[in-house]
């Protein structure tokens, strides 16, 4: 795969995100090795080379088509010049046909030296001159953020050229690349000047396949993003296109099929291809969900999972809710002095909030980029061709690679042989595959069909847990065991993907044709539902209907609860295998997958830190730490454990509210623990503030260190805990200062009251 070596010889400005420096125009940046560095987006590079190729061909008296050759919906002849073949073009608006994909693919140009690139950002002022006065024009002062030329910036960009490119087109393409001498803003004034050198050697990145195709019936697909990616959610909202936070099964299905077709154009007509991707019994290709690392498995949070308000702790309410319903049924018809008895949903002081998403997404780094298509006549933005697109970065907020895992179920024998041919092929996912988006490192592990172990045991365990809570409720309600009544076995299944029921008459998984009559249950006894949607762009030209199609679904994480008979346990494993592959419609795209309800699995050490935080440092635990810290400070002052120095006043605990409020104010913009500790140590060293901070500094630093240790890699959780802790500290200090301050005439009460003057 060739590489383009790009040396910048003019100030580089390719429109990017909002500038942290407050510039009117800022240059695009990427996060590399934890640094925000300038880069050249593939869209800008591709556009500059395309325009250069158009100019070269027209200068030689040859035709060159633009990216939008059709006006309205009328199609005359299909363009077939070098630009059309190499770069492709769009079809008429709203139509499936007549578009053409190009034969070349650009990747983002990334700096060879990220450290030097990060230091190259400069803020350049500019002014417009009034032609009449030869002075600065009114309100024409502006600032531009650029990657300056004084740092000898060099970028490398991968470029892929299809094997079907003719030698003549390849020669023209290379000439256009090496003749491109500028891109970005300010080209007429020397901005964006560059030199490009074509290097034939490059590092090819292709899929890695393992396992035996002869015995494979399922496969694990690991996708690690190498470039930003965009997975459309069904269509733009105005001129903005949002992205999903997972890779839909339909997107993966299309990417794998297209990778095979690009290698061999005739494979699409083979029986193996049809059986794998197209037939009614095609393989089910599941959604790819974000995981902690390539060896981890994704976990879908059930709709019964709740988050404790004010903390990162979570709890599952399934057992509690089902037990409470049993108690409610036992109370029907019973009357107390005030009327009918009812079992109120009361969780004490704890408040639960629904978790926003069933799929993990908090660690994903998302940003929005603005894109524009250039009008070939005016050289300015083309009419109606300005839009913004949200994309997932290839690194997470912790600086790690964004890795997703999908499972392919029900692979036919001939399909396994075909999947093995993905070995070494480059694969890109999602939109913008020819514009520097979606390239990924792919690992495909072929596996034999395996049974789902322990299904009956898990059903029995869940039923026993519910029964235990029911007995506890009976004692609280002063009911006999006979009044509660016997309980059935409880089967709870969780949607692992969006579910499109076959029929609206019975929209639940066990109602599907393959499972009808297999269990004694006819309808769920309880549902905990999430909303979802499936669909998006369907690019098959032979399929009727609209280009964009989006269906409402029962969303991933939805929970269905059934009462079943003990005799049904014998066929449970077979039923779970069917549910794992998927039921309902759109099964081939991973819809309709279900698994037994369970709590989140054991996680990696880094993630375990966050889990420890959720239990060891809940909101109530932090409140206690804040109160204990202030109680100790009072005691130390009373007993004079902290001796003032000769040039220092007596250590004073009282009337220091402003000191803590200053710290709360700082946490609104800065929650990095080392920075906060640095500020506290600074206050501890100042003569005017050291008397108070000497009392509490070590305790506060200790809590901050604990928060930092257990929220490693989770900046959002750390910020929440830090702000909560200082808020609790201020609240309790105000209470103590106003109710127990001896200077205000309050008696000192509590365990340390002995010996204190009132």
């Amino acid at each position: 795969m060739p590489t383009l070596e790009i040396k910048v010889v003019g100030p580089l400005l390719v429109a990017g995100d909002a500038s942290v420096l407050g510039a009117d125009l800022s240059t695009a940046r990427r996060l590399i090795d934890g640094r925000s560095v300038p880069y050249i987006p593939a869209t800008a590079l591709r556009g500059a080379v395309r325009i250069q190729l158009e100019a070269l061909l027209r200068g030689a008296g040859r035709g060159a088509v633009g990216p939008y050759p059709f006006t309205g919906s009328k199609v005359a002849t299909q363009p077939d010049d070098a630009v059309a073949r190499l770069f492709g073009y769009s079809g008429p608006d709203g139509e499936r046909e007549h578009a053409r994909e190009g034969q070349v693919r650009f990747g983002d140009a990334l700096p060879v030296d990220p450290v030097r690139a990060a230091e190259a950002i400069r803020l350049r002022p500019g002014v417009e001159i009034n032609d009449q006065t030869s002075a600065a024009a009114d309100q024409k002062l502006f600032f531009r953020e650029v990657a300056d030329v004084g740092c000898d910036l060099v970028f490398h960009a991968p470029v892929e050229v299809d094997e079907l490119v003719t030698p003549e087109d390849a020669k023209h393409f290379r000439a256009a690349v090496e003749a491109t001498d500028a891109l970005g803003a300010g080209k007429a004034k020397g901005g964006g000047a560059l030199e490009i050198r074509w290097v034939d050697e490059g590092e090819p990145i292709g899929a890695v396949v393992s396992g035996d195709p002869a015995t494979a019936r399922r496969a694990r697909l690991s996708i690690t993003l190498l470039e930003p990616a965009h997975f459309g959610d069904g269509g733009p909202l105005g001129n903005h296109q949002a992205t999903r936070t997972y890779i839909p099964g339909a997107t993966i299905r299309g990417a794998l099929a297209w990778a095979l077709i690009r290698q061999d154009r005739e494979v699409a007509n083979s029986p193996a291809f049809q059986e794998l991707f197209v037939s009614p019994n095609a393989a089910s290709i599941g959604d790819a969900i974000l995981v902690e690392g390539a060896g981890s498995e994704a976990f879908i949070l059930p709709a019964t999972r709740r988050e404790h308000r004010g903390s990162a702790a979570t709890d599952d309410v399934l057992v509690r809710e089902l037990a409470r319903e049993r108690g409610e049924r036992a109370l029907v018809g019973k009357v107390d002095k005030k009327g009918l008895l009812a079992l109120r949903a009361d969780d004490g002081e704890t408040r639960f909030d629904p978790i926003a998403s069933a799929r993990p997404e908090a660690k994903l780094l998302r940003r929005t980029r603005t894109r524009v298509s250039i009008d070939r006549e005016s050289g300015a933005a083309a009419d109606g061709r300005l839009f913004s697109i949200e994309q997932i970065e290839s690194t997470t907020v912790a600086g790690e690679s964004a890795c997703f895992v999908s499972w392919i179920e029900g692979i036919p024998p001939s399909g396994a042989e075909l999947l093995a041919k993905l070995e070494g092929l480059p694969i890109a996912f999602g939109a913008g595959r020819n514009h520097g988006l979606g390239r990924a490192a792919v690992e495909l592990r072929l596996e034999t069909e395996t049974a789902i172990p322990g299904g009956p045991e898990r059903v029995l365990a869940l039923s026993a847990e519910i029964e235990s809570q029911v007995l506890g409720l009976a004692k609280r309600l002063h009911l006999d065991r006979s009044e509660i009544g016997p309980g059935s076995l409880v089967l709870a299944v969780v949607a692992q993907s969006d579910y499109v029921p076959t029929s609206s008459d019975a929209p639940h998984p066990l109602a599907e044709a393959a499972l009808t009559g297999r269990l004694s249950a006819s309808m769920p006894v309880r549902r905990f539902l999430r909303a979802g949607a499936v669909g998006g762009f369907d690019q098959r030209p032979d399929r009727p209907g609209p280009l964009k199609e989006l269906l409402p679904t029962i969303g991933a994480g939805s929970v269905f609860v059934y009462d079943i008979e003990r005799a049904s346990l014998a066929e449970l494993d077979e039923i779970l295998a069917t549910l794992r592959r998927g039921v309902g419609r759109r099964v081939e795209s991973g819809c309709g997958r279900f698994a037994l309800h369970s709590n989140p699995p054991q996680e990696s050490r880094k993630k375990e830190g966050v889990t420890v935080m959720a239990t060891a440092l809940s909101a109530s635990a932090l409140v206690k730490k804040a109160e204990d810290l202030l109680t100790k400070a009072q005691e130390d002052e009373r007993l004079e454990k902290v001796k003032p120095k000769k040039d220092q006043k007596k250590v004073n605990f009282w009337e220091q509210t402003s000191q803590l409020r200053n710290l709360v104010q700082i946490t609104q913009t800065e929650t990095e623990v080392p920075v906060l500790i640095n500020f506290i140590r600074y206050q501890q060293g100042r003569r005017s503030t050291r008397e108070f901070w000497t009392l509490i500094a070590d305790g506060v630093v200790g809590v901050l260190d604990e928060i930092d240790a257990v929220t490693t890699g989770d900046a959002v959780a750390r910020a929440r805990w830090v702000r909560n802790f200082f808020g609790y500290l201020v609240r309790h200090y105000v209470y103590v200062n106003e109710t127990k301050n001896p200077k205000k005439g309050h008696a000192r009460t509590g365990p340390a009251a002995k010996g204190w003057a009132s």
Side-chain angles (χ1 to χ4, degrees):
M1 181 172 62
T3 298
L4 305 185
E5 184 179 273
I6 305 171
K7 182 178 181 181
V8 176
V9 295
L12 178 67
L13 196 164
V14 181
D17 304 325
S19 171
V20 295
L21 301 177
D24 298 286
L25 289 175
S26 62
T27 195
R29 299 199 196 187
R30 280 272 297 273
L31 193 65
I32 301 176
D33 297 336
R35 296 179 176 86
S36 180
V37 303
Y39 77 107
I40 303 174
T43 49
L45 184 58
R46 177 186 172 90
V49 173
R50 177 170 186 154
I51 291 175
Q52 186 65 33
L53 179 58
E54 292 173 8
L56 290 176
L57 292 174
R58 286 174 179 152
R62 302 175 62 174
V65 67
Y68 305 102
F70 306 116
T71 56
S73 59
K74 185 178 180 180
V75 178
T77 59
Q78 294 286 118
D80 194 33
D81 55 60
V83 176
R85 290 189 295 269
L86 289 168
F87 289 88
Y89 48 81
S90 295
D93 289 343
E95 288 194 16
R96 297 176 179 276
E97 300 182 84
H98 307 300
R100 181 170 184 168
E101 185 174 30
Q103 297 172 325
V104 295
R105 182 188 186 280
F106 290 81
D108 292 337
L110 303 181
V112 175
D113 187 343
V115 176
R116 176 175 292 183
E119 296 171 351
I121 296 295
R122 301 284 188 273
L123 202 61
R124 284 196 169 197
V127 66
E128 184 174 320
I129 302 300
N130 187 305
D131 294 334
Q132 304 299 322
T133 64
S134 297
D138 185 37
Q139 297 183 358
K140 295 299 183 180
L141 175 66
F142 55 89
F143 293 88
R144 293 184 172 187
E145 180 187 276
V146 301
D148 219 339
V149 296
C151 296
D152 295 327
L153 291 184
V154 177
F155 298 82
H156 281 174
V159 60
E160 298 175 18
V161 182
D162 197 293
E163 294 179 357
L164 298 179
V165 172
T166 65
E168 185 180 13
D169 284 352
K171 180 178 68 175
H172 290 154
F173 175 63
R174 179 164 179 171
V177 167
E178 295 183 331
T180 301
D181 57 2
L183 57 76
K187 291 188 287 292
K189 303 173 183 178
L194 46 81
E195 299 171 356
I196 303 180
R197 186 170 71 93
W198 183 289
V199 181
D200 285 318
E201 298 82 13
E203 182 180 354
I205 298 177
V208 177
V209 181
S210 61
D212 184 5
T215 60
R217 294 297 177 268
R218 61 196 305 254
R220 183 182 188 274
L221 190 66
S222 173
I223 302 169
T224 303
L225 294 184
L226 302 175
E227 295 176 340
H230 171 83
F231 310 111
D233 61 353
L237 179 62
N239 286 335
H240 175 69
Q241 299 185 32
T243 183
R244 289 184 172 103
T245 55
Y246 62 97
I247 310 177
T251 298
I252 300 173
R253 184 164 161 257
L256 299 184
W258 186 240
L260 292 168
I261 291 173
R262 290 189 62 165
Q263 182 194 34
D264 178 6
R265 301 286 175 172
E266 299 301 321
V267 73
N269 299 319
S270 68
F273 186 93
Q274 296 292 317
E275 191 177 6
L276 179 63
F277 293 110
V278 184
S279 73
N281 294 319
S284 170
I285 302 178
D287 300 335
I289 311 297
L290 181 71
V291 296
E292 288 291 313
S296 304
E297 292 297 334
F299 183 82
I300 299 295
L301 286 176
T304 52
R305 199 75 179 168
R306 300 287 190 269
E307 184 176 40
H308 290 192
R309 187 176 300 174
S311 78
T314 61
D315 190 18
D316 199 290
V317 301
L318 176 68
V319 173
R320 189 162 58 249
E321 286 292 316
L322 296 180
R324 185 178 291 151
E325 287 184 358
R326 288 271 303 280
E328 287 278 10
R329 289 196 293 268
L331 291 175
V332 172
K334 295 185 179 296
V335 181
D336 66 357
K337 295 179 180 179
K338 297 181 180 180
L340 292 176
L341 282 171
L343 184 59
R344 183 169 60 93
D346 185 5
D347 297 305
E349 296 181 356
T350 304
R351 293 294 178 265
F352 295 97
D353 294 319
I355 296 177
S357 176
R359 302 176 179 92
E361 60 180 28
K363 295 195 177 220
L364 286 175
L365 187 60
R366 286 183 282 179
R367 68 188 182 100
T368 299
R369 281 195 55 208
T370 300
R371 293 186 175 177
V372 64
S373 183
I374 302 299
D375 187 287
R376 297 309 191 264
E377 302 298 328
S378 65
D383 183 38
R385 301 298 180 184
L386 173 67
F387 61 94
S388 61
I389 181 171
E390 183 184 32
Q391 63 191 38
I392 296 173
E393 292 296 290
S394 57
T395 55
T396 65
V397 293
E400 301 168 342
S401 297
C403 182
F404 299 78
V405 168
S406 165
W407 279 92
I408 305 175
E409 304 284 355
I411 301 174
S414 59
E417 296 286 349
L418 192 58
L419 287 175
K421 293 182 179 180
L422 290 169
E423 176 72 37
L425 299 183
I427 304 177
F429 300 87
R433 293 185 297 275
N434 284 345
H435 301 76
L437 293 180
R439 192 164 60 103
V442 175
E443 294 183 15
L444 182 70
R445 190 178 71 214
L446 299 171
E447 295 189 357
T448 58
E449 187 70 48
T450 55
I452 301 176
E457 290 79 4
R458 290 167 63 184
V459 168
L460 292 171
L462 175 64
S463 303
E465 190 175 354
I466 295 171
E467 197 67 22
S468 175
Q469 290 217 13
V470 168
L471 293 177
L473 282 176
K475 292 180 180 179
R476 289 169 51 192
L477 298 171
H478 304 290
L479 297 174
D480 293 332
R481 178 66 183 85
S482 59
E483 294 180 275
I484 291 289
S488 302
L489 292 182
V490 175
L491 171 67
V493 293
V494 182
Q496 303 298 295
S497 62
D498 291 335
Y499 166 50
V500 188
T502 302
S503 170
S504 59
D505 296 334
H508 63 93
L510 296 190
E512 299 299 333
L515 301 176
T516 301
R518 300 282 294 281
L519 289 176
S520 58
S522 57
M523 291 291 289
V525 296
R526 183 71 190 270
R527 294 178 174 94
F528 303 83
L529 300 181
R530 288 181 177 272
V534 66
F537 289 87
D538 190 333
Q539 300 180 21
R540 291 176 291 176
D542 58 338
R543 186 182 184 278
L547 179 63
K548 301 166 189 173
E549 186 178 50
L550 198 65
L551 295 176
T553 67
I554 296 173
S558 296
V559 179
F560 294 85
V561 182
Y562 301 87
D563 284 345
I564 64 174
E565 299 296 335
R566 187 172 294 270
S568 301
L569 292 177
E571 53 188 3
L572 183 59
D573 287 343
E574 187 177 352
I575 292 170
L576 291 176
T578 302
L579 291 174
R580 179 173 67 180
R581 182 182 184 276
V583 293
R585 297 162 56 197
R586 303 290 182 92
V587 172
E588 72 283 354
S589 297
C591 292
R593 295 187 174 190
F594 288 85
L596 283 178
H597 181 281
S598 63
N599 288 323
Q602 294 295 323
E603 297 162 318
S604 64
R605 179 60 194 166
K606 181 174 291 187
K607 184 78 175 199
E608 184 183 343
V610 180
T611 303
V612 171
M613 180 62 168
T615 54
L617 285 183
S618 61
S620 58
L622 273 186
V623 168
K624 189 174 188 309
K625 286 178 181 290
E627 293 177 353
D628 290 348
L629 191 154
L630 294 176
T631 300
K632 183 178 183 301
Q634 286 180 272
E635 183 72 0
D636 289 346
E637 182 216 29
R638 185 182 73 82
L639 300 177
E640 296 186 347
K641 288 185 178 180
V642 180
K643 300 289 185 180
K645 297 180 180 178
K646 293 182 179 179
D647 61 340
Q648 183 181 342
K649 299 177 183 178
K650 181 182 183 299
V651 176
N652 182 24
F653 175 81
W654 305 105
E655 299 178 359
Q656 302 287 342
T657 307
S658 61
Q659 291 292 313
L660 293 178
R661 291 198 184 278
N662 288 340
L663 197 54
V664 171
Q665 187 66 29
I666 288 175
T667 62
Q668 301 308 306
T669 57
E670 181 56 72
T671 56
E672 291 284 344
V673 168
V675 176
L676 295 174
I677 292 177
N678 176 265
F679 173 80
I680 292 170
R681 294 306 187 196
Y682 164 71
Q683 295 294 346
Q684 192 177 2
R686 294 178 62 207
R687 180 174 299 180
S688 60
T689 58
R690 74 168 62 136
E691 58 185 84
F692 172 73
W693 284 103
T694 299
L695 285 167
I696 71 168
D698 290 340
V700 172
V701 168
V703 176
L704 287 177
D705 282 336
E706 186 176 356
I707 292 174
D708 195 41
V710 298
T711 57
T712 302
D714 194 340
V716 175
R718 183 188 66 242
R720 180 169 65 247
W721 286 114
V722 166
R723 289 169 184 151
N724 286 351
F725 171 67
F726 285 125
Y728 302 149
L729 203 64
V730 169
R731 291 177 195 170
H732 191 64
Y733 181 84
V734 170
Y735 165 75
V736 172
N737 190 58
E738 294 299 320
T739 60
K740 300 182 181 180
N741 187 347
K743 296 181 180 180
K744 297 185 178 183
H746 298 300
R748 303 190 182 193
T749 60
K754 185 178 180 181
W756 285 39
S758 62

